[in-house]
Amino acid sequence: MKIGFVSLGCPKNQLDTEVMLHHLASAGHEITPEETEADIVIINTCAFIESAKKEAIDNILDIAYLKKHHSLGGIVVTGCMAERYGQEILDEFPEVDAVLGVGSIHNIVEAVDSVAANMGKKRKKNAPDCRYYSHEDKNKVALGGDRILTTPDYAAYLKISEGCDNRCTYCAIPDIRGKFRSRPMEELIDEARELDELGVKELTIIAQDTTRYGIDLYGKYCLDELLRKITEATSIPWIRVLYCYPDKITDGLIEEMKNNPRILNYIDLPLQHISDKVLKRMNRHGNGTLIREVLTKIKKEIPDVTIRTTFIVGFPGETEEDFVELAEFIKSERFDRAGVFTYSREEGTPAYDFKDQIDEQVKQDRMDILMRSQFLINEEKNAEKIGKIIDVICEDYDPVSEFYFGRSAADAPEIDGKVFFKSDRQIAPGDFVRVKVRRVEEYDLCGFALQE
């Protein structure tokens, strides 16, 4: 069978797609990048916020059109939306033949084979949720390991845990992906070693909460130890950490980032707000004082650190005073990277039923104000880089503009800006090059490659 894939959502979802691709290819199925050539298309969905659900529905409708008007035989919906709304998907979209939640992705071959055997006859209901990775059952296999990389050859993600125990009141992830489960350290080191052997030069560490890593297996936060052992076991030059929580930033983690030259001085620290009242209603661990103290410590110990964060505006009960405090906080801290999102009211979460819901226009206005402020900060920070020399990993070449482009250590893949540069010599994707910055183009930098 020819299998097509549509993968939506975050890097954690992308890695799940890679695991499913491996299972299907190992079972003898052919993977095709062209949905019009596929016998069955799998749509791996996200359901974190309303816009993600809308994107998933739009993709289901698009593939359903192919099934109706072309030779496509079956549709399987997987991922977070399938986990959360499995029966509703089957009820609302008669073109869908099977749904498979995030806890059951290792059943993908069984699901596809069942759809193939029953095309045009009957539809398959959601497979049971086995909640991989389960510490209680060692036969329920890992969160990564055997997979087909969908990233460029030189880059890969490493998922170090599954699930979340934080229970933020706006978030449905714990109900979708289950409780927090760390992967054994030796398993992660083996996987990192395999990626190194494949030629990966940038490894991005991901989880719902990377800083919680190890607490369930080893009784303590072990992210610093894991990073140290990965660098000892591999030669991967760039290792990046995403999805950290401020209340779990240990002195050991800061020390490892400071002293280990292969751990990029880049920290993704979603803060969501600074008002104590809003943070408490969000059920965020820690308060405004803790957040400020952590930021001060990080900047003191790692002066050249790049800090990325995200904020939510319009959370139920957010007053004008709360918003002004957040706006002033962003101006004073001058984050290197910051994204601002309007609160998305998600059914099944505690905040869905909170009183004092904020008007949508007010949410949008507040987001616009903060994004304008952050844009000016970015302009200033990028202007400071003009004339400086930075290390860049090349991603590709654009024959139209005749510029190469890539990312600096301060730019996470698919999230942050780009560095565009000219070069008198040929540079391959994955090559590292030193670039002298000449000018700024909004969030991006432009320059030229130095001769080595």
Side-chain angles (χ1 to χ4, degrees), residues 127-144:
D129 178 3
C130 68
R131 286 292 179 206
Y132 82 106
Y133 169 80
S134 168
H135 296 316
E136 289 73 31
D137 184 350
K138 298 301 180 182
N139 294 318
K140 288 173 182 172
V141 192
L143 298 162

Side-chain angles (χ1 to χ4, degrees), residues 117-130:
N118 296 285
M119 281 184 182
K121 297 179 182 178
K122 62 179 181 178
R123 301 167 69 226
K124 181 177 174 61
K125 291 189 177 180
N126 197 10
D129 178 3
C130 68

Side-chain angles (χ1 to χ4, degrees), residues 294-310:
V294 167
L295 291 171
T296 298
K297 181 183 291 188
I298 293 172
K299 292 176 181 179
K300 178 183 177 182
E301 295 297 322
I302 315 173
D304 62 342
V305 70
T306 296
I307 299 179
R308 175 179 179 79
T309 190
T310 55

Side-chain angles (χ1 to χ4, degrees), residues 377-410:
I377 293 170
N378 274 104
E379 271 195 329
E380 294 169 1
K381 282 184 168 283
N382 277 344
E384 293 169 1
K385 297 176 183 177
I386 294 175
K388 293 186 176 180
I389 298 171
I390 58 176
D391 292 324
V392 173
I393 187 168
C394 179
E395 293 183 308
D396 213 336
Y397 176 75
D398 178 16
V400 177
S401 66
E402 298 184 332
F403 271 87
Y404 289 91
F405 60 90
R407 291 175 291 101
S408 72

Side-chain angles (χ1 to χ4, degrees), residues 283-296:
N283 196 36
R284 298 288 291 180
H285 300 178
N287 54 26
T289 299
L290 179 143
I291 289 171
R292 290 181 172 92
E293 288 174 351
V294 167
L295 291 171
T296 298

Side-chain angles (χ1 to χ4, degrees), residues 29-304:
H29 294 289
E30 179 184 347
I31 309 300
T32 175
E34 300 297 331
E35 295 149 14
T36 54
E37 297 178 357
D39 300 304
I40 293 175
V41 170
I42 297 167
I43 308 170
N44 194 22
T45 61
C46 176
F48 182 54
I49 56 177
E50 191 61 35
S51 59
K53 288 187 284 188
K54 183 180 184 303
E55 182 184 25
I57 290 170
D58 288 344
N59 275 272
I60 292 172
L61 291 173
D62 288 344
I63 302 302
Y65 180 87
L66 283 182
K67 185 177 181 182
K68 184 176 180 180
H69 296 281
H70 295 274
S71 58
L72 178 64
I75 300 173
V76 180
V77 177
T78 66
C80 293
M81 191 167 172
E83 181 75 47
R84 195 175 181 192
Y85 302 107
Q87 191 57 54
E88 288 91 333
I89 291 171
L90 291 173
D91 293 341
E92 295 295 326
F93 302 99
E95 300 88 354
V96 173
D97 299 280
V99 293
L100 207 65
V102 294
S104 305
I105 65 170
H106 293 286
N107 298 108
I108 188 63
V109 174
E110 176 190 347
V112 165
D113 289 348
S114 177
V115 170
N118 296 285
M119 281 184 182
K121 297 179 182 178
K122 62 179 181 178
R123 301 167 69 226
K124 181 177 174 61
K125 291 189 177 180
N126 197 10
D129 178 3
C130 68
R131 286 292 179 206
Y132 82 106
Y133 169 80
S134 168
H135 296 316
E136 289 73 31
D137 184 350
K138 298 301 180 182
N139 294 318
K140 288 173 182 172
V141 192
L143 298 162
D146 293 330
R147 52 190 170 115
I148 294 176
L149 296 182
T150 58
T151 50
D153 293 343
Y154 54 83
Y157 294 103
L158 180 66
K159 188 194 288 189
I160 64 174
S161 68
E162 182 58 279
C164 186
D165 288 347
N166 290 317
R167 290 285 172 183
C168 300
T169 57
Y170 53 80
C171 182
I173 293 298
D175 293 327
I176 294 172
R177 290 191 173 265
K179 67 179 183 178
F180 182 86
R181 293 96 71 202
S182 299
R183 292 175 62 191
M185 197 172 296
E186 58 272 16
E187 181 181 293
L188 293 168
I189 294 168
D190 286 344
E191 186 174 343
R193 193 180 286 118
E194 291 172 5
L195 293 170
D196 186 23
E197 292 172 356
L198 289 173
V200 167
K201 297 180 180 179
E202 180 179 17
L203 184 67
T204 302
I205 308 296
I206 58 173
Q208 301 298 332
D209 178 355
T210 54
T211 38
R212 185 180 284 269
Y213 175 75
I215 191 68
D216 53 329
L217 285 182
Y218 311 113
K220 60 179 181 177
Y221 299 136
C222 298
L223 181 57
D224 57 337
E225 182 181 351
L226 175 65
L227 293 173
R228 184 165 57 255
K229 289 188 175 181
I230 287 175
T231 53
E232 290 171 353
T234 73
S235 60
I236 299 172
W238 276 14
I239 301 174
R240 187 186 303 276
V241 182
L242 301 184
Y243 311 118
C244 301
Y245 276 64
D247 61 301
K248 305 181 193 72
I249 299 292
T250 64
D251 290 343
L253 178 58
I254 294 175
E255 198 70 17
E256 189 65 30
M257 293 185 70
K258 176 182 177 181
N259 296 323
N260 189 333
R262 286 161 55 202
I263 307 299
L264 298 180
N265 290 342
Y266 177 105
I267 188 162
D268 174 51
L269 199 65
L271 299 176
Q272 311 308 9
H273 219 282
I274 194 61
S275 161
D276 285 347
K277 185 190 76 178
V278 176
L279 289 169
K280 185 175 181 179
R281 294 197 87 195
M282 288 179 168
N283 196 36
R284 298 288 291 180
H285 300 178
N287 54 26
T289 299
L290 179 143
I291 289 171
R292 290 181 172 92
E293 288 174 351
V294 167
L295 291 171
T296 298
K297 181 183 291 188
I298 293 172
K299 292 176 181 179
K300 178 183 177 182
E301 295 297 322
I302 315 173
D304 62 342

